[in-house]
Amino acid sequence: MQKVIAAIASRAVIAVPYIWLGLFFLIPFFIVFKISLSQVAMAIPAYDPRFFWSDGLSVIWQKIQQFSFENYIWLTQDSLYYKAYLSSVKIAAVSTFLALLIGFPLAYGMARAPLTLRPTLLMLVILPFWTSFLIRVYAWIAILKPEGLLNQFLMSLNIIDTPLTILNTDTAIYIGIVYSYLPFMVLPIYSALEKMDYSLIEAAQDLGCTPLKAFWKITFPLALPGVIAGSMLVFIPAIGEFVIPDLLGGSSTLMIGKTLWSEFFSNRDWPVSAAVAVVLLVILVIPIVLFQKMQTRAEGSGK
């Protein structure tokens, strides 16, 4: 009896994440996907057909037959959308690379710091999360605007004569994304480097490896799982970012998050905006699947 109860309890524990994913991912996804197959309508909600269980199964089946992929075809015909996707991928990729360049040395320094100092350094990395994300983005407006703190500081040192135009450019977007998502890059890399046996570096140097060669042969491969995880944690939210491009970027900045918001709220074209969201989700699933395959290969080679 106890074994049966234990088996049921273990299965119930395993079922919890699946139930969570079903309620908060699959069901919302299918609702959005259903809207993407609908047509825009002057109604509330702003699409048709709409389903009511009181209509009966025959009426519901007739409405299901009205679904079409016209909205997805429209996305391929209008250059605005694929340009927005390409621009979003480019900005997210560059931001992820910059976050890696900054985050890896930070994580490495934290991992090599004395044990008594590591909790303090870890807290300093997490500290920005104690402040509202929106407030932090608005703070960058005060720093980057022509009469802002950065230009005043550079002009006081006579480095520049006229204020730099940084706000409302792609540079400001890169700064905002890297600053906002840098902890997501640092923490996984730090977690990987903290477990590393640094006697391997000493052994490699004793065998004639230069410090740079030892880094590429030992340190970086051992930190690679953290690098991949951190890159995904930065790239995935950055590609659909809306707040940072809207506040720090200019009106000419083209990202899929802004395009989706415009379709949904300005044009009130819910089906097209839902199709944009579904395609974006498919794009984001690709790096996740690749990461899982890499992990499986790594585990297989480790065995």
Side-chain angles (χ1 to χ4, degrees):
M1 185 65 180
Q2 291 181 349
K3 291 182 179 180
V4 173
I5 295 175
I8 294 173
S10 62
R11 290 180 180 179
V13 171
I14 295 172
V16 170
Y18 290 99
I19 294 173
W20 180 273
L21 288 173
L23 290 175
F24 299 104
F25 177 75
L26 287 179
I27 293 177
F29 171 76
F30 282 117
I31 292 174
V32 173
F33 183 65
K34 176 182 75 71
I35 296 173
S36 71
L37 300 177
S38 304
Q39 294 82 39
V40 66
M42 296 298 294
I44 298 177
Y47 62 89
D48 194 64
R50 286 159 288 157
F51 295 89
F52 303 96
W53 292 111
S54 58
D55 294 338
L57 292 178
S58 60
V59 176
I60 291 176
W61 176 245
Q62 290 177 1
K63 290 183 177 180
I64 291 176
Q65 291 178 330
Q66 298 176 21
F67 285 155
S68 69
F69 288 90
E70 292 180 1
N71 296 312
Y72 293 95
I73 297 173
W74 170 255
L75 296 185
T76 62
Q77 294 174 345
D78 193 334
S79 61
L80 170 68
Y81 299 104
Y82 63 78
K83 285 181 179 179
Y85 283 119
L86 292 176
S87 177
S88 298
V89 170
K90 184 199 76 171
I91 291 176
V94 173
S95 300
T96 302
F97 179 71
L98 294 174
L100 178 60
L101 287 182
I102 300 172
F104 197 99
L106 284 175
Y108 186 80
M110 290 168 58
R112 297 302 301 267
L115 289 174
T116 55
L117 191 59
R118 290 180 191 177
T120 303
L121 296 175
L122 193 61
M123 186 193 69
L124 292 175
V125 172
I126 302 173
L127 193 62
F129 289 120
W130 296 6
T131 307
S132 168
F133 173 77
L134 195 60
I135 293 175
R136 286 185 280 135
V137 176
Y138 272 110
W140 276 106
I141 295 177
I143 295 173
L144 299 177
K145 62 184 180 181
E147 64 276 12
L149 297 175
L150 178 61
N151 279 311
Q152 289 182 6
F153 176 74
L154 294 176
M155 292 177 71
S156 66
L157 297 178
N158 294 323
I159 297 176
I160 57 174
D161 297 325
T162 57
L164 299 174
T165 303
I166 302 176
L167 193 62
N168 298 326
T169 63
D170 287 352
T171 302
I173 297 176
Y174 292 135
I175 292 172
I177 292 177
V178 170
Y179 165 77
S180 300
Y181 294 112
L182 186 61
F184 294 113
M185 180 67 76
V186 173
L187 295 177
I189 298 176
Y190 167 74
S191 178
L193 291 174
E194 189 186 26
K195 303 171 186 175
M196 177 180 164
D197 184 3
Y198 288 96
S199 62
L200 297 173
I201 302 294
E202 297 176 359
Q205 291 178 346
D206 290 340
L207 293 173
C209 277
T210 62
L212 184 61
K213 189 175 181 180
F215 171 81
W216 286 113
K217 291 288 186 180
I218 298 174
T219 304
F220 190 78
L222 292 176
L224 191 58
V227 170
I228 296 173
S231 298
M232 289 183 60
L233 289 174
V234 174
F235 179 82
I236 290 174
I239 197 174
E241 182 61 52
F242 166 72
V243 174
I244 294 174
D246 188 55
L247 296 179
L248 300 182
S251 57
S252 61
T253 301
L254 191 61
M255 288 192 71
I256 201 62
K258 291 182 67 175
T259 304
L260 196 152
W261 186 93
S262 177
E263 288 291 347
F264 193 89
F265 290 101
S266 299
N267 300 338
R268 286 188 56 81
D269 195 338
W270 288 25
V272 169
S273 61
V276 171
V278 170
V279 173
L280 177 61
L281 180 62
V282 172
I283 293 174
L284 295 179
V285 164
I286 293 174
I288 296 175
V289 172
L290 293 176
F291 176 62
Q292 289 179 339
K293 287 185 177 181
M294 291 181 65
Q295 276 191 322
T296 304
R297 288 180 183 176
E299 291 175 359
S301 61
K303 293 179 181 179

